Amino acid sequence: MRARAGSALPFLLLLSVGCRPESPVARMAHELRGAYPEHATPTGVVRTFDIEARPAELPLVDGPKLRVWAYNGSVPGPELRIRLGETLRVRFTNHLPEATTIHWHGVRVPNGMDGVPHVTQPPVAPGGTFTYEFTPKDAGTFWFHPHVRSSEQVERGLYGVLVVEDAKPAPYSRDVVWVLDDWLLDETHQIFDRFNTPHDLMHDGRWGNFVTVNARTDTVLAARGGERIRLRLLNASNARIYAPDFGGLQPQIIAVDGLYLARPLPLGRFELAPGNRLDLDLTLPPAAVSRSLPVIDRFYPDDPKHLADIIVDGTTGQPPPSFRSPAHARVPAWSAGLTIPPTKEIVVNARRGGSYGIEWTFNDQAFTGHEHHGAPMLVMDRGSWVRLRFVNASFRLHPIHLHGMFFRLLARNGAPVDEPFFRDTVLMHSKETIDIGLVPLDAGQWMMHCHILEHAEAGMMTLFEVRG
Ligand code: C2O
Ligand code: CU
């Protein structure tokens, strides 16, 4: 089943000055202009990192040694930090007992660097190596994880954060990464080693019995009053969703899924689904003397989970650094987007069958392994505007994630939503219909899947092709 995207007007044409595109679809594509760059602008600086995946025993969660799979012997894996314009080169070696790859979640990479086994590269066999090299086009908070048997490999501890700093980073007092994850430990306090259980597959995936920040239950951000902190949150859980509550601190959201907002937004309830990132601008009142501020997850209001503590001790003695937050990006309104009929409608559902006894499907198709992937579900033209409608026919949660492109959420259940930001992952609730708009800029075969990794494993994945 192939569907063509609406307009074939080439993007380059839209870039020509003074051009006034006539069709509504072309106008949508035109609105993207200047939102984010089409191409990377490499400075010529290459930053090389060596990353190994291998089993390890580490004092994680609440203390005792936990047997995990780790990048460079730590969970989260190494924090890769580069500046915009620098080229990232990762020399990867697989010392796991099974094949793997690294996918760069949210980064607009050339298709061959996307880490999707059999689609963009051969899987890296045990003992094998692969070099990932690309120049990110966007500054922001990204992450990396395997794309082979992800529901097990990510759950065992394979994930890390890639921070692409702005060419001139804003003068925050500090820049901190918090990776949120949960762990399902058994009675011996080790990772429960049955993955993709029927229960997890029929419900919202694997939810753990320990919730951690940076793989510890006792994470503390020690700071002083008067500091202004950039706090980068990532949800690396297989399935758990968080709605972080900072109590009276009232942070501002400055970026979602890597990209800056059109304007900073106060953090109200934000549902941080697996894969999502949230960059917060957090100012600690200057007068604060020695107090501890818990950060609580309230996704389920009657089952709050403690995430971490911010401990404010003393004061900088200065007023908080004052500068305009970096959240002033150009984000298209695409307000006419809902007047254009959907390019494609995709129904999400489950059925009996497949190797797990239950399959998750897009339009009645279950992904049967990267090796045997069929024709792409959707073929889009580079530079043309596309509206996608997802209809959740199930009662479960599904964070929908697209590789290789950003999108804007246009509507939930037909009602327009005004999110002044792009995303690469959006949570779809039980029985909900969502509409998204996007303009693909990179040719290739890109995955679209649920980021509840058990759902993805049981078929909830497909390919979109961008040609051009
Ligand atoms: Cu984090 Cu295919 O995704
Ligand atoms: Cu799902």
Side-chain angles (χ1 to χ4, degrees), residues 234-263:
L234 154 68
N235 182 356
S237 309
N238 278 29
R240 181 180 291 273
I241 296 144
Y242 305 86
D245 176 4
F246 285 72
L249 280 178
Q250 291 171 338
Q252 302 277 314
I253 305 176
I254 55 169
V256 171
D257 289 351
L259 298 187
Y260 289 125
L261 276 60
R263 53 179 188 273

Side-chain angles (χ1 to χ4, degrees), residues 176-258:
V176 178
V177 175
W178 275 7
V179 182
L180 281 51
D181 192 9
D182 64 342
W183 303 77
L184 185 60
L185 303 188
D186 62 18
E187 49 302 330
T188 70
H189 220 72
Q190 293 297 327
I191 294 173
F192 180 66
D193 64 0
R194 280 173 52 224
F195 298 90
N196 311 305
T197 63
H199 173 275
D200 295 350
L201 289 169
M202 281 190 298
H203 296 87
D204 298 319
R206 175 168 163 134
W207 289 53
N209 46 9
F210 290 84
V211 170
T212 58
V213 167
N214 297 341
R216 298 279 313 183
T217 54
D218 58 357
T219 292
V220 162
L221 170 55
R224 287 180 299 162
E227 283 192 299
R228 184 168 169 191
I229 298 168
R230 179 167 181 164
L231 183 59
R232 302 171 189 259
L233 307 184
L234 154 68
N235 182 356
S237 309
N238 278 29
R240 181 180 291 273
I241 296 144
Y242 305 86
D245 176 4
F246 285 72
L249 280 178
Q250 291 171 338
Q252 302 277 314
I253 305 176
I254 55 169
V256 171
D257 289 351

Side-chain angles (χ1 to χ4, degrees), residues 132-175:
Y132 294 94
E133 185 168 328
F134 52 86
T135 310
K137 302 178 191 181
D138 307 295
T141 309
F142 303 99
W143 67 301
F144 54 100
H145 63 76
H147 224 281
V148 176
R149 293 164 39 77
S150 316
S151 56
E152 175 170 347
Q153 294 193 1
V154 175
E155 183 69 3
R156 288 192 184 276
L158 292 171
Y159 51 77
V161 170
L162 166 64
V163 174
V164 182
E165 295 179 342
D166 289 295
K168 276 203 191 78
Y172 286 97
S173 314
R174 64 177 87 202
D175 181 321

Side-chain angles (χ1 to χ4, degrees), residues 198-205 358 360 396-398 452 455:
H199 173 275
D200 295 350
L201 289 169
M202 281 190 298
H203 296 87
D204 298 319
I358 174 172
W360 281 100
R396 307 318 327 173
L397 300 164
H398 304 291
I452 288 187
H455 292 177

Side-chain angles (χ1 to χ4, degrees), residues 86-107:
E86 293 177 344
T87 297
L88 179 72
R89 179 185 294 153
V90 170
R91 298 187 300 208
F92 174 64
T93 309
N94 179 14
H95 292 295
L96 300 173
E98 61 185 46
T100 190
T101 59
I102 298 182
H103 165 61
W104 304 90
H105 181 125
V107 188

